[in-house]
Structures are given as structure tokens and as C-alpha cells.
Amino acid sequence: VKAGLHYLIPLTAFFLGVLLAERIQDKFRYAKRLHWRQGILLVEIILLFLVGFIPGNMNVFATTLVSFSCALQVQTFRKVEGNAYASTMCIGNLRSGMDHLYRFITGKKKEEGKTAAIYLTAITSFAIGAACGGHLTTYFSYRTIWISCVILICCFLLMLIEEEEDLEVLEKKERKELQAEKNLVKKEQEELQEEKLLMKETENEFQQKISKG
């Protein structure tokens, strides 16, 4: 029973992490200053940074924080290029990758090959990260987790750059739409002016006929 409770704590933390991720998404979905996913990344960075200070005799507490962070990550970043994937696990990604690879080989569809490559890239990066982490713990012990913080900070900065690019694209699109509206209004004004001229000519012709009659 005691061993079961030992594993129940991280599971509960994972459960709460999923709920928090959903809560943050609901409350800050339309935030302008900071995207809600970036806010969750900041929470992950802080939690994992704190884990690096927890001594080895408090592994349960450290595991609980990591489990909580893992839940935030999995629940927040669930798709890549429109395809569902798990960012902290590889079994599901492996199944999906092999499925799309088989479809690519048998159906000769390029989009299936692209999707398979995305999943296989995620699996490869997962394996490399696990291998590097296992090797570096020999030298840095539990503080190796700070490398994850550095990677997450890089992801946070990349999201800022991408957001700025998206804003620029949106501004260009809005400028084009505004210009199109101006052109449409100008065209309508020209057509209206032509109609006025036509009506004036028709009226003059009518008056001339009356005067002759």
C-alpha cells in the first residue's frame, strides 16, 4: 500500500497539471501581450529550474514537480504540423510514424511520407535527448535538468519571433484588404458618377424633345 501511494503522488500531480493547462488556456486564450502557451512554458522553466536544487533524498518531491511539468507540456503542445503527437513520450509517436510510413510505401503519397518524417524526427530527438541526459547525469547529477530549461527558453524565444512574423503577415494582409476596399469604393464612386452623367444626358435629351414638340 505504501509503495502504491508512493506512485500515486506523481500521478496526481500529472492530473492537476492537465487541469491547470486547460484552465490557463480558457482564461488567457485571447491574451495580447503573451500567448497562453508561452505562459505555460515559463511555468515549466521555473519548475524544472527548481528541481535542479532538490537534493537526492527528496526524489518524490522532484518527481512530482517533473510530472506536473510533463502534464503541462503534453496538454499544451499536442500537435505538430497539424498532426497529433506526444512531446514527452514516444510509443504513440512510434505507432503513428510507422502507420504513415507504411501508407507512404504502399500508397506512394508524398503527404504521408512528410508526416512519417515528422514523427520519426520527434522520436529521434527523444532518443538523442534521453541518451544525452543519461550521459550528462554522470557529470552533473540531477542538475542536468537545467539543460531542459535552456532548451525551453530557446523555444520561448522562437515563439516570440514566430509571433512577430505572424503579426507582420497579419498586418500585410489587413493592409491588402484595406486597399482592396478602397479600390472597391473608388470603383463604386466612378460607377455612380457615370450613372449620374448618363441620367443627366437622358434628361437633356428628354427636355430637347419636349421643346421641339
Side-chain angles (χ1 to χ4, degrees):
V1 177
K2 187 176 180 180
L5 293 175
H6 177 82
Y7 291 108
L8 184 61
I9 296 173
L11 288 174
T12 304
F14 191 93
F15 169 78
L16 294 175
V18 172
L19 293 181
L20 178 62
E22 284 298 305
R23 177 59 179 168
I24 292 175
Q25 180 181 359
D26 290 339
K27 191 171 183 179
F28 301 101
R29 183 189 296 271
Y30 302 107
K32 295 182 178 180
R33 293 185 178 181
L34 193 70
H35 194 280
W36 66 272
R37 287 190 175 92
Q38 292 172 309
I40 287 181
L41 273 182
L42 288 176
V43 175
E44 289 183 54
I45 292 167
I46 294 171
L47 290 176
L48 295 179
F49 182 74
L50 293 176
V51 169
F53 292 101
I54 299 174
N57 60 350
M58 298 179 65
N59 282 335
V60 175
F61 181 53
T63 304
T64 300
L65 291 182
V66 172
S67 180
F68 186 81
S69 301
C70 179
L72 293 175
Q73 177 74 19
V74 171
Q75 187 65 16
T76 304
F77 301 94
R78 295 182 289 182
K79 288 187 177 182
V80 55
E81 295 291 334
N83 300 293
Y85 91 117
S87 58
T88 60
M89 295 164 276
C90 66
I91 297 299
N93 298 335
L94 182 60
R95 186 209 63 81
S96 298
M98 292 301 100
D99 181 36
H100 287 284
L101 181 61
Y102 175 79
R103 294 181 185 179
F104 170 67
I105 295 172
T106 56
K108 305 296 183 182
K109 296 181 179 179
K110 291 183 179 180
E111 59 271 16
E112 294 291 347
K114 181 181 178 181
T115 304
I118 291 172
Y119 280 112
L120 293 176
T121 301
I123 295 166
T124 302
S125 63
F126 185 95
I128 293 173
C132 291
H135 178 71
L136 291 173
T137 51
T138 306
Y139 303 97
F140 304 107
S141 186
Y142 47 84
R143 290 186 176 85
T144 304
I145 200 168
W146 287 345
I147 297 175
S148 299
C149 296
V150 175
I151 295 173
L152 290 176
I153 290 171
C154 292
C155 293
F156 179 85
L157 295 176
L158 285 174
M159 289 179 69
L160 284 178
I161 295 172
E162 185 177 354
E163 185 177 358
E164 290 178 359
E165 291 177 351
D166 290 342
L167 287 174
E168 290 178 1
V169 172
L170 183 61
E171 288 176 358
K172 288 181 180 179
K173 184 179 179 181
E174 289 176 348
R175 283 196 295 267
K176 288 182 179 179
E177 291 177 351
L178 181 60
Q179 186 62 38
E181 290 178 359
K182 287 181 179 179
N183 293 336
L184 181 61
V185 171
K186 185 177 180 181
K187 185 178 179 180
E188 290 176 349
Q189 289 176 346
E190 291 175 352
E191 291 176 351
L192 182 62
Q193 187 66 27
E194 290 177 358
E195 289 178 1
K196 287 181 178 180
L197 291 173
L198 182 60
M199 290 178 62
K200 189 174 182 180
E201 290 177 358
T202 304
E203 184 180 354
N204 291 335
E205 290 178 358
F206 181 72
Q207 288 179 355
Q208 286 176 3
K209 288 180 181 180
I210 291 176
S211 60
K212 288 180 181 180

